[in-house]
Coordinates of all heavy atoms in Angstrom, one line a residue:
M1 N 120.7 120.1 106.2 CA 120.0 121.0 107.1 C 119.0 121.7 106.2 O 119.1 121.8 105.0 CB 121.0 122.0 107.7 CG 122.0 121.4 108.6 SD 122.8 122.5 109.8 CE 121.5 123.3 110.6
D2 N 118.0 122.3 106.9 CA 116.8 122.9 106.3 C 116.9 124.4 106.4 O 116.8 124.9 107.5 CB 115.6 122.4 107.0 CG 114.3 122.9 106.4 OD1 114.3 123.8 105.5 OD2 113.2 122.5 106.9
I3 N 117.1 125.1 105.3 CA 117.2 126.6 105.3 C 116.0 127.2 105.9 O 116.1 128.2 106.6 CB 117.5 127.1 103.9 CG1 117.9 128.6 104.0 CG2 116.4 126.9 103.0 CD1 119.2 128.9 104.6
N4 N 114.8 126.7 105.7 CA 113.6 127.2 106.2 C 113.6 127.2 107.8 O 113.1 128.1 108.4 CB 112.4 126.6 105.6 CG 112.2 127.0 104.2 OD1 112.5 128.1 103.7 ND2 111.9 126.0 103.3
K5 N 114.0 126.0 108.3 CA 114.1 125.9 109.8 C 115.1 126.9 110.3 O 114.8 127.5 111.4 CB 114.5 124.4 110.1 CG 114.8 124.2 111.5 CD 113.6 124.1 112.4 CE 114.1 123.6 113.8 NZ 113.1 123.8 114.8
I6 N 116.2 127.1 109.7 CA 117.2 128.0 110.1 C 116.6 129.4 110.1 O 116.8 130.2 111.1 CB 118.5 128.0 109.3 CG1 119.2 126.6 109.5 CG2 119.5 129.1 109.6 CD1 120.3 126.3 108.4
R7 N 116.0 129.8 109.1 CA 115.3 131.1 108.9 C 114.3 131.3 110.0 O 114.2 132.4 110.6 CB 114.7 131.3 107.6 CG 115.7 131.5 106.5 CD 115.0 131.6 105.1 NE 116.0 131.7 104.1 CZ 115.8 131.3 102.8 NH1 114.7 130.7 102.5 NH2 116.7 131.5 101.9
Q8 N 113.5 130.3 110.3 CA 112.5 130.4 111.4 C 113.2 130.7 112.7 O 112.7 131.5 113.5 CB 111.6 129.2 111.4 CG 110.7 129.0 110.3 CD 110.0 127.6 110.3 OE1 110.3 126.8 111.2 NE2 109.1 127.4 109.4
N9 N 114.2 130.0 113.0 CA 115.0 130.1 114.2 C 115.5 131.5 114.3 O 115.5 132.2 115.4 CB 116.0 129.1 114.4 CG 115.5 127.7 114.8 OD1 114.3 127.6 115.2 ND2 116.3 126.7 114.7
I10 N 116.1 132.1 113.3 CA 116.6 133.4 113.3 C 115.5 134.4 113.6 O 115.7 135.3 114.4 CB 117.4 133.7 112.0 CG1 118.6 132.8 111.8 CG2 117.7 135.2 111.9 CD1 119.6 132.9 112.8
E11 N 114.4 134.3 112.9 CA 113.3 135.2 113.0 C 112.7 135.2 114.4 O 112.3 136.3 115.0 CB 112.2 134.9 112.0 CG 112.5 135.3 110.6 CD 111.5 134.9 109.6 OE1 110.7 133.9 109.8 OE2 111.4 135.6 108.5
K12 N 112.7 134.0 115.1 CA 112.1 134.0 116.4 C 113.1 134.1 117.5 O 112.8 134.0 118.7 CB 111.2 132.8 116.6 CG 111.9 131.4 116.6 CD 110.9 130.3 116.7 CE 111.7 129.0 116.7 NZ 110.8 127.8 116.7
G13 N 114.4 134.3 117.2 CA 115.5 134.4 118.2 C 115.9 133.2 118.8 O 116.6 133.2 119.9
S14 N 115.7 132.0 118.1 CA 116.1 130.7 118.7 C 117.4 130.3 118.1 O 117.5 129.4 117.3 CB 115.0 129.7 118.3 OG 115.3 128.4 118.9
Y15 N 118.4 131.1 118.5 CA 119.8 130.8 118.0 C 120.8 131.3 119.0 O 120.5 132.1 119.8 CB 120.0 131.4 116.6 CG 120.0 132.9 116.6 CD1 121.2 133.6 116.8 CD2 118.8 133.6 116.5 CE1 121.2 135.0 116.8 CE2 118.8 135.0 116.5 CZ 120.0 135.7 116.7 OH 120.0 137.1 116.7
D16 N 122.0 130.7 118.9 CA 123.1 131.2 119.6 C 124.3 131.5 118.7 O 124.3 131.0 117.6 CB 123.7 130.1 120.6 CG 122.7 129.8 121.7 OD1 122.1 130.8 122.2 OD2 122.7 128.6 122.2
V17 N 125.1 132.4 119.1 CA 126.3 132.8 118.3 C 127.5 132.3 119.1 O 127.7 132.7 120.2 CB 126.4 134.3 118.1 CG1 127.6 134.7 117.3 CG2 125.1 134.9 117.5
S18 N 128.3 131.5 118.4 CA 129.5 131.0 119.1 C 130.5 132.1 119.3 O 130.5 133.2 118.7 CB 130.2 129.9 118.2 OG 130.9 130.5 117.1
K19 N 131.4 131.9 120.2 CA 132.5 132.9 120.5 C 133.3 133.2 119.2 O 133.6 134.3 118.9 CB 133.4 132.4 121.6 CG 134.4 133.4 122.0 CD 135.3 132.9 123.2 CE 136.4 133.8 123.5 NZ 137.3 133.3 124.5
H20 N 133.6 132.1 118.5 CA 134.4 132.2 117.3 C 133.6 133.1 116.3 O 134.2 134.0 115.6 CB 134.7 130.9 116.7 CG 135.3 130.9 115.4 ND1 136.7 131.3 115.2 CD2 134.9 130.6 114.1 CE1 137.0 131.2 113.9 NE2 135.9 130.9 113.3
A21 N 132.3 132.8 116.1 CA 131.5 133.6 115.1 C 131.4 135.0 115.5 O 131.5 135.9 114.6 CB 130.1 133.0 115.0
E22 N 131.3 135.3 116.8 CA 131.3 136.7 117.3 C 132.6 137.4 117.0 O 132.6 138.5 116.5 CB 130.9 136.7 118.7 CG 130.8 138.1 119.3 CD 129.7 139.0 118.7 OE1 128.8 138.4 118.0 OE2 129.8 140.2 118.8
E23 N 133.7 136.7 117.2 CA 135.0 137.3 116.9 C 135.2 137.6 115.4 O 135.7 138.7 115.0 CB 136.1 136.4 117.4 CG 136.2 136.3 118.9 CD 137.2 135.2 119.4 OE1 137.8 134.5 118.6 OE2 137.3 135.1 120.7
E24 N 134.8 136.6 114.6 CA 135.0 136.8 113.2 C 134.1 137.9 112.6 O 134.4 138.7 111.8 CB 134.7 135.5 112.4 CG 135.7 134.4 112.7 CD 137.1 134.8 112.2 OE1 137.2 135.2 111.0 OE2 138.1 134.7 113.0
R25 N 132.8 137.9 113.2 CA 131.9 139.0 112.8 C 132.5 140.4 113.0 O 132.5 141.3 112.2 CB 130.6 138.8 113.5 CG 129.5 139.8 113.1 CD 128.3 139.7 114.0 NE 128.5 140.2 115.4 CZ 128.6 141.4 115.8 NH1 128.5 142.4 114.9 NH2 128.8 141.7 117.0
R26 N 133.0 140.5 114.2 CA 133.6 141.8 114.6 C 134.9 142.1 113.8 O 135.1 143.2 113.3 CB 134.0 141.8 116.1 CG 132.8 141.9 117.0 CD 133.2 141.9 118.4 NE 131.9 141.9 119.2 CZ 131.9 142.2 120.5 NH1 133.0 142.5 121.1 NH2 130.8 142.1 121.1
N27 N 135.7 141.1 113.5 CA 136.9 141.3 112.7 C 136.6 141.8 111.3 O 137.4 142.5 110.7 CB 137.7 140.0 112.6 CG 138.5 139.7 113.9 OD1 138.6 140.5 114.8 ND2 138.9 138.4 114.0
D28 N 135.5 141.3 110.8 CA 135.0 141.7 109.4 C 134.1 142.9 109.4 O 133.5 143.3 108.4 CB 134.4 140.5 108.7 CG 135.4 139.5 108.2 OD1 136.6 139.8 108.3 OD2 135.0 138.5 107.6
A29 N 133.9 143.5 110.6 CA 133.1 144.7 110.8 C 131.7 144.5 110.2 O 131.1 145.3 109.6 CB 133.7 145.9 110.1
L30 N 131.1 143.3 110.6 CA 129.7 143.0 110.2 C 128.8 143.3 111.4 O 129.1 142.9 112.5 CB 129.6 141.5 109.8 CG 130.4 141.2 108.5 CD1 130.4 139.7 108.3 CD2 129.7 141.8 107.3
E31 N 127.7 143.9 111.1 CA 126.7 144.1 112.1 C 125.8 142.8 112.2 O 125.6 142.2 111.1 CB 125.9 145.3 111.8 CG 126.7 146.6 111.9 CD 125.8 147.8 111.6 OE1 124.6 147.7 111.6 OE2 126.4 148.8 111.3
M32 N 125.3 142.5 113.3 CA 124.4 141.3 113.5 C 123.2 141.4 112.5 O 122.8 140.4 112.0 CB 124.0 141.2 114.9 CG 123.4 139.8 115.2 SD 124.7 138.5 114.9 CE 123.6 137.1 114.6
A33 N 122.7 142.6 112.3 CA 121.6 142.8 111.4 C 122.0 142.4 110.0 O 121.1 141.8 109.2 CB 121.1 144.3 111.3
Q34 N 123.2 142.6 109.5 CA 123.7 142.1 108.2 C 123.7 140.6 108.2 O 123.3 140.0 107.2 CB 125.1 142.7 107.9 CG 125.2 144.1 107.6 CD 126.6 144.5 107.4 OE1 127.3 144.8 108.4 NE2 127.1 144.5 106.2
V35 N 124.2 140.0 109.3 CA 124.3 138.5 109.3 C 122.9 137.9 109.2 O 122.6 137.0 108.4 CB 125.0 138.1 110.6 CG1 125.0 136.6 110.7 CG2 126.4 138.6 110.6
K36 N 121.9 138.5 110.0 CA 120.6 138.0 109.9 C 120.0 138.1 108.5 O 119.3 137.2 108.0 CB 119.7 138.7 110.9 CG 120.0 138.3 112.4 CD 119.1 139.1 113.3 CE 119.4 138.9 114.8 NZ 118.5 139.6 115.6
E37 N 120.2 139.3 107.9 CA 119.7 139.5 106.6 C 120.3 138.5 105.6 O 119.6 138.0 104.7 CB 120.1 140.9 106.1 CG 119.6 141.3 104.7 CD 120.0 142.6 104.2 OE1 120.6 143.4 105.0 OE2 119.8 142.9 103.0
A38 N 121.6 138.2 105.7 CA 122.2 137.2 104.9 C 121.6 135.8 105.0 O 121.3 135.1 104.0 CB 123.7 137.2 105.2
I39 N 121.3 135.5 106.2 CA 120.7 134.1 106.5 C 119.2 134.1 105.9 O 118.8 133.2 105.3 CB 120.7 133.8 108.0 CG1 122.1 133.6 108.5 CG2 119.8 132.5 108.2 CD1 122.3 133.5 110.0
L40 N 118.5 135.2 106.2 CA 117.1 135.2 105.8 C 116.9 135.3 104.3 O 115.8 134.8 103.8 CB 116.4 136.4 106.5 CG 116.3 136.3 108.0 CD1 115.7 137.6 108.6 CD2 115.4 135.1 108.4
T41 N 117.9 135.8 103.6 CA 117.7 135.9 102.1 C 118.7 135.0 101.3 O 118.6 134.9 100.1 CB 118.0 137.3 101.6 OG1 119.3 137.7 102.0 CG2 117.0 138.3 102.3
G42 N 119.5 134.2 102.1 CA 120.6 133.5 101.5 C 120.2 132.0 101.1 O 119.0 131.7 101.2
K43 N 121.2 131.3 100.7 CA 120.9 129.9 100.4 C 122.1 129.0 100.8 O 123.2 129.5 101.0 CB 120.8 129.7 98.8 CG 122.0 130.1 98.0 CD 121.8 129.9 96.6 CE 123.0 130.3 95.7 NZ 122.8 130.2 94.3
I44 N 121.8 127.7 101.1 CA 122.9 126.8 101.5 C 123.7 126.5 100.2 O 123.2 126.0 99.2 CB 122.2 125.5 102.1 CG1 121.5 125.9 103.4 CG2 123.3 124.5 102.3 CD1 120.8 124.7 104.0
I45 N 125.0 126.7 100.3 CA 125.9 126.4 99.2 C 126.8 125.1 99.5 O 127.3 124.5 98.6 CB 126.8 127.6 98.8 CG1 127.7 128.0 100.0 CG2 125.9 128.7 98.3 CD1 128.7 129.1 99.5
E46 N 126.9 124.7 100.8 CA 127.6 123.5 101.1 C 126.9 122.9 102.3 O 126.5 123.6 103.2 CB 129.1 123.8 101.5 CG 129.9 124.2 100.3 CD 131.4 124.4 100.7 OE1 131.8 124.2 101.8 OE2 132.1 124.9 99.8
D47 N 126.8 121.6 102.3 CA 126.1 120.9 103.4 C 127.1 119.9 104.0 O 127.8 119.3 103.3 CB 124.9 120.1 102.9 CG 123.9 119.8 103.9 OD1 124.0 120.3 105.0 OD2 122.9 119.1 103.6
Y48 N 127.2 119.9 105.3 CA 128.1 119.0 106.0 C 127.4 118.1 107.0 O 127.5 118.2 108.2 CB 129.1 119.9 106.8 CG 129.7 121.1 106.1 CD1 129.6 122.4 106.6 CD2 130.4 120.9 104.9 CE1 130.1 123.5 105.9 CE2 131.0 122.0 104.2 CZ 130.8 123.3 104.8 OH 131.3 124.4 104.1
P49 N 126.7 117.1 106.4 CA 125.8 116.2 107.3 C 126.7 115.3 108.2 O 126.2 114.9 109.2 CB 125.0 115.4 106.3 CG 125.8 115.4 105.0 CD 126.6 116.8 105.0
N50 N 127.9 115.1 107.8 CA 128.7 114.1 108.6 C 129.8 114.8 109.4 O 130.8 114.1 109.8 CB 129.3 113.1 107.7 CG 128.3 112.3 106.9 OD1 127.3 111.9 107.5 ND2 128.4 112.1 105.6
D51 N 129.7 116.1 109.7 CA 130.7 116.8 110.5 C 130.7 116.1 111.9 O 129.7 115.9 112.5 CB 130.3 118.3 110.6 CG 131.4 119.1 111.3 OD1 131.8 118.8 112.4 OD2 131.8 120.1 110.7
P52 N 131.9 115.8 112.4 CA 132.0 115.1 113.7 C 131.4 115.9 114.8 O 130.9 115.3 115.8 CB 133.5 115.0 113.9 CG 134.2 115.3 112.6 CD 133.2 116.0 111.8
R53 N 131.3 117.2 114.7 CA 130.6 118.1 115.7 C 129.1 118.1 115.6 O 128.4 118.7 116.4 CB 131.2 119.5 115.7 CG 132.7 119.5 116.0 CD 133.3 120.8 115.6 NE 133.3 120.9 114.2 CZ 133.8 121.8 113.4 NH1 134.4 122.9 114.0 NH2 133.7 121.8 112.1
G54 N 128.6 117.6 114.5 CA 127.2 117.6 114.3 C 126.9 118.2 112.9 O 127.7 118.9 112.4
P55 N 125.8 117.9 112.3 CA 125.4 118.4 111.0 C 125.5 120.0 111.0 O 125.1 120.6 111.9 CB 124.0 117.9 110.7 CG 123.8 116.8 111.7 CD 124.7 117.1 112.8
S56 N 126.0 120.5 109.8 CA 126.1 121.9 109.7 C 126.0 122.2 108.2 O 126.0 121.3 107.4 CB 127.4 122.5 110.3 OG 128.5 121.9 109.7
C57 N 126.0 123.5 107.9 CA 126.0 123.9 106.5 C 126.6 125.3 106.3 O 126.7 126.1 107.3 CB 124.5 123.9 105.9 SG 123.4 125.1 106.7
L58 N 126.9 125.7 105.1 CA 127.5 127.0 104.8 C 126.4 127.7 104.0 O 125.9 127.2 102.9 CB 128.7 126.8 104.0 CG 129.4 128.1 103.4 CD1 129.7 129.1 104.6 CD2 130.6 127.8 102.6
I59 N 126.0 128.9 104.5 CA 125.0 129.7 103.8 C 125.7 130.9 103.2 O 126.6 131.5 103.8 CB 124.0 130.2 104.8 CG1 123.2 129.0 105.4 CG2 123.0 131.3 104.2 CD1 122.3 129.4 106.5
L60 N 125.4 131.2 102.0 CA 125.8 132.5 101.3 C 124.6 133.4 101.2 O 123.5 133.0 100.7 CB 126.3 132.2 99.9 CG 126.4 133.5 99.0 CD1 127.5 134.4 99.5 CD2 126.7 133.1 97.6
G61 N 124.8 134.6 101.7 CA 123.7 135.6 101.6 C 124.4 136.9 101.5 O 125.6 137.1 101.5
Y62 N 123.5 137.9 101.4 CA 124.0 139.3 101.3 C 123.3 140.2 102.4 O 122.1 140.1 102.6 CB 123.7 139.9 99.9 CG 124.6 139.3 98.9 CD1 124.3 138.0 98.3 CD2 125.7 139.9 98.4 CE1 125.1 137.4 97.4 CE2 126.5 139.3 97.5 CZ 126.2 138.1 97.0 OH 127.0 137.5 96.0
G63 N 124.2 140.9 103.1 CA 123.7 141.9 104.1 C 124.1 143.2 103.7 O 125.3 143.5 103.6
R64 N 123.2 144.1 103.4 CA 123.5 145.5 103.0 C 124.4 145.4 101.8 O 125.3 146.2 101.6 CB 124.1 146.3 104.1 CG 123.1 146.5 105.2 CD 123.6 147.6 106.2 NE 122.6 147.6 107.3 CZ 123.0 147.7 108.6 NH1 124.3 147.8 108.9 NH2 122.1 147.7 109.5
G65 N 124.2 144.5 100.9 CA 124.9 144.4 99.6 C 126.2 143.6 99.7 O 126.8 143.3 98.7
A66 N 126.7 143.3 100.9 CA 128.0 142.6 101.1 C 127.8 141.1 101.2 O 126.9 140.7 101.9 CB 128.7 143.1 102.4
P67 N 128.6 140.4 100.4 CA 128.5 138.9 100.5 C 128.9 138.4 101.9 O 129.9 138.9 102.4 CB 129.4 138.4 99.4 CG 130.4 139.5 99.2 CD 129.7 140.8 99.5
I68 N 128.2 137.5 102.5 CA 128.5 137.0 103.8 C 128.3 135.5 103.8 O 127.4 135.0 103.3 CB 127.6 137.6 104.9 CG1 127.8 139.1 104.9 CG2 127.9 137.0 106.2 CD1 126.8 139.9 105.8
H69 N 129.3 134.8 104.4 CA 129.2 133.3 104.6 C 128.9 133.1 106.1 O 129.5 133.7 106.9 CB 130.5 132.6 104.2 CG 130.7 132.4 102.8 ND1 131.9 131.9 102.3 CD2 129.8 132.5 101.7 CE1 131.7 131.8 101.0 NE2 130.5 132.1 100.6
V70 N 128.0 132.2 106.3 CA 127.6 131.8 107.7 C 127.6 130.3 107.8 O 126.8 129.7 107.0 CB 126.2 132.4 108.1 CG1 125.9 132.1 109.6 CG2 126.1 133.9 107.9
V71 N 128.3 129.7 108.7 CA 128.2 128.3 108.9 C 127.3 128.1 110.1 O 127.5 128.7 111.2 CB 129.6 127.7 109.2 CG1 129.5 126.2 109.6 CG2 130.5 127.9 108.0
C72 N 126.3 127.3 109.9 CA 125.2 127.1 110.9 C 125.2 125.6 111.3 O 125.3 124.8 110.4 CB 123.8 127.5 110.4 SG 123.6 129.2 110.1
G73 N 125.0 125.3 112.6 CA 124.7 124.0 113.0 C 123.4 124.0 113.8 O 122.7 125.0 113.9
E74 N 123.1 122.8 114.3 CA 121.8 122.7 115.0 C 122.0 121.9 116.3 O 122.6 120.9 116.3 CB 120.8 122.1 114.1 CG 119.4 122.0 114.7 CD 118.4 121.5 113.7 OE1 117.8 122.3 113.0 OE2 118.2 120.2 113.7
Y75 N 121.5 122.4 117.4 CA 121.4 121.6 118.6 C 120.4 120.5 118.5 O 119.5 120.6 117.7 CB 121.1 122.5 119.8 CG 122.1 123.6 120.1 CD1 121.7 125.0 120.0 CD2 123.3 123.3 120.6 CE1 122.6 126.0 120.3 CE2 124.2 124.3 121.0 CZ 123.8 125.7 120.8 OH 124.7 126.7 121.1
D76 N 120.5 119.5 119.4 CA 119.5 118.5 119.5 C 118.1 119.1 119.7 O 117.1 118.5 119.3 CB 119.8 117.5 120.6 CG 121.0 116.6 120.2 OD1 121.3 116.5 119.0 OD2 121.7 116.0 121.2
S77 N 118.1 120.2 120.4 CA 116.8 120.8 120.7 C 116.2 121.5 119.5 O 115.0 121.9 119.5 CB 117.0 121.9 121.8 OG 117.8 123.0 121.3
G78 N 116.9 121.6 118.4 CA 116.4 122.2 117.2 C 116.9 123.7 117.1 O 116.7 124.3 116.0
K79 N 117.5 124.2 118.1 CA 118.0 125.6 118.1 C 119.2 125.7 117.2 O 119.9 124.8 117.1 CB 118.4 126.0 119.5 CG 118.6 127.4 119.8 CD 118.9 127.7 121.3 CE 119.0 129.1 121.6 NZ 119.2 129.4 123.0
T80 N 119.3 126.8 116.5 CA 120.4 127.0 115.5 C 121.6 127.6 116.2 O 121.5 128.4 117.1 CB 119.9 128.0 114.4 OG1 118.9 127.3 113.7 CG2 121.1 128.3 113.5
L81 N 122.8 127.2 115.8 CA 124.1 127.7 116.3 C 124.8 128.4 115.1 O 125.0 127.7 114.1 CB 124.9 126.7 116.9 CG 126.4 127.1 117.3 CD1 126.3 128.1 118.4 CD2 127.2 125.9 117.7
L82 N 125.2 129.6 115.2 CA 126.0 130.3 114.2 C 127.4 129.9 114.6 O 127.9 130.4 115.6 CB 125.8 131.8 114.2 CG 124.3 132.3 114.0 CD1 124.3 133.8 113.8 CD2 123.7 131.5 112.9
I83 N 128.1 129.1 113.8 CA 129.4 128.6 114.2 C 130.5 129.6 113.7 O 131.4 129.8 114.5 CB 129.6 127.2 113.5 CG1 128.6 126.2 114.0 CG2 131.1 126.7 113.7 CD1 128.5 124.9 113.3
T84 N 130.4 130.1 112.5 CA 131.3 131.2 112.1 C 130.6 132.1 111.1 O 129.6 131.7 110.5 CB 132.6 130.6 111.5 OG1 133.6 131.7 111.4 CG2 132.5 129.9 110.2
V85 N 131.1 133.3 111.0 CA 130.5 134.3 110.1 C 131.7 135.1 109.5 O 132.6 135.5 110.2 CB 129.7 135.3 110.9 CG1 129.2 136.4 110.1 CG2 128.5 134.6 111.6
Y86 N 131.7 135.3 108.2 CA 132.8 136.0 107.6 C 132.5 136.5 106.2 O 131.5 136.0 105.6 CB 134.1 135.1 107.5 CG 133.9 133.9 106.7 CD1 134.2 133.9 105.3 CD2 133.5 132.7 107.3 CE1 134.0 132.7 104.6 CE2 133.3 131.5 106.5 CZ 133.6 131.6 105.2 OH 133.4 130.4 104.4
K87 N 133.2 137.5 105.8 CA 133.2 138.0 104.4 C 134.1 137.1 103.6 O 135.2 136.9 103.9 CB 133.7 139.4 104.3 CG 132.8 140.5 104.9 CD 133.4 141.9 104.7 CE 132.5 142.9 105.4 NZ 133.2 144.2 105.3
P88 N 133.5 136.4 102.5 CA 134.3 135.5 101.7 C 135.4 136.2 101.0 O 135.2 137.3 100.4 CB 133.4 134.8 100.8 CG 132.2 135.7 100.8 CD 132.1 136.5 102.1
D89 N 136.6 135.6 101.0 CA 137.8 136.2 100.3 C 137.6 135.9 98.8 O 137.6 134.8 98.4 CB 139.0 135.6 100.8 CG 140.3 136.1 100.2 OD1 140.3 136.7 99.1 OD2 141.4 136.0 100.9
P90 N 137.6 137.0 97.9 CA 137.5 136.7 96.5 C 138.6 135.9 95.9 O 138.5 135.4 94.8 CB 137.4 138.1 95.9 CG 137.6 139.1 97.0 CD 137.7 138.4 98.3
L91 N 139.8 135.9 96.5 CA 140.9 135.0 96.0 C 140.6 133.6 96.3 O 141.2 132.7 95.6 CB 142.2 135.5 96.7 CG 142.6 136.9 96.4 CD1 143.9 137.3 97.2 CD2 142.8 137.1 94.9
L92 N 139.8 133.2 97.3 CA 139.5 131.8 97.6 C 138.2 131.3 97.1 O 138.0 130.1 97.1 CB 139.5 131.7 99.2 CG 140.8 132.1 99.9 CD1 140.6 132.0 101.4 CD2 142.0 131.3 99.4
W93 N 137.3 132.2 96.6 CA 136.0 131.8 96.1 C 135.8 132.4 94.7 O 136.4 133.4 94.3 CB 134.9 132.4 97.1 CG 135.0 131.8 98.4 CD1 135.7 132.2 99.5 CD2 134.3 130.6 98.8 NE1 135.5 131.3 100.6 CE2 134.6 130.3 100.2 CE3 133.4 129.8 98.2 CZ2 134.1 129.3 100.9 CZ3 132.8 128.7 98.9 CH2 133.2 128.4 100.3
D94 N 134.9 131.7 94.0 CA 134.6 132.2 92.6 C 133.9 133.5 92.7 O 133.6 134.0 93.8 CB 133.8 131.1 91.8 CG 132.4 131.0 92.3 OD1 131.9 131.7 93.2 OD2 131.7 130.1 91.8
E95 N 133.6 134.1 91.5 CA 133.0 135.4 91.4 C 131.7 135.5 92.1 O 131.2 136.6 92.5 CB 133.0 135.9 90.0 CG 132.1 135.1 89.1 CD 132.7 133.8 88.5 OE1 133.9 133.6 88.8 OE2 132.0 133.1 87.9
N96 N 131.0 134.4 92.3 CA 129.7 134.4 92.9 C 129.8 134.0 94.4 O 128.7 134.0 95.1 CB 128.7 133.5 92.2 CG 128.5 133.9 90.8 OD1 128.3 135.0 90.5 ND2 128.5 132.9 89.9
F97 N 131.0 133.7 94.9 CA 131.2 133.3 96.3 C 130.5 132.0 96.6 O 130.2 131.8 97.8 CB 130.8 134.4 97.3 CG 131.6 135.7 97.0 CD1 130.9 136.8 96.4 CD2 132.9 135.9 97.3 CE1 131.6 137.9 96.1 CE2 133.6 137.0 97.0 CZ 132.9 138.1 96.4
E98 N 130.3 131.2 95.6 CA 129.5 129.9 95.8 C 130.4 128.7 95.8 O 130.1 127.7 96.3 CB 128.4 129.8 94.8 CG 127.3 130.8 95.0 CD 126.1 130.6 94.1 OE1 126.0 129.5 93.5 OE2 125.3 131.5 94.0
K99 N 131.5 128.8 95.1 CA 132.4 127.6 94.9 C 133.9 128.0 95.3 O 134.3 129.1 94.9 CB 132.4 127.1 93.5 CG 131.0 126.5 93.1 CD 131.1 125.8 91.8 CE 129.8 125.3 91.3 NZ 128.8 124.8 92.1
R100 N 134.5 127.2 96.0 CA 136.0 127.4 96.3 C 136.8 127.3 95.1 O 136.6 126.5 94.2 CB 136.4 126.4 97.3 CG 135.7 126.5 98.6 CD 136.1 125.3 99.6 NE 135.1 125.1 100.6 CZ 135.2 125.7 101.8 NH1 136.2 126.5 102.1 NH2 134.3 125.4 102.7
R101 N 137.8 128.2 95.0 CA 138.8 128.1 93.9 C 139.8 127.0 94.1 O 140.1 126.7 95.3 CB 139.5 129.5 93.7 CG 138.6 130.6 93.3 CD 139.5 131.8 93.0 NE 138.6 133.0 92.8 CZ 138.1 133.4 91.7 NH1 138.4 132.7 90.6 NH2 137.4 134.5 91.6
G102 N 140.3 126.4 93.0 CA 141.4 125.5 93.1 C 141.0 124.2 93.7 O 141.6 123.3 94.1

């Protein structure tokens, strides 16, 4: 996936938020502005081109200083889908939140 295309879609409002992503965002007390900031300033740390549901990727970014992971996919139309959003658990991720532990 192309981070620049994802960023463009976020900036122009060409994205959807899945029910799951919305639930996780609320559970982690993240504001949508933080999620957008994380995407706009973040980077792709994992790419899933062969996901059975369609190509997707994991973005690590920071919103108001908090690390945030966002899994994004893309519709055939080119619109972005936020699949899930969460604060990475430091017990499961390295100190930079870029690589899974173990």
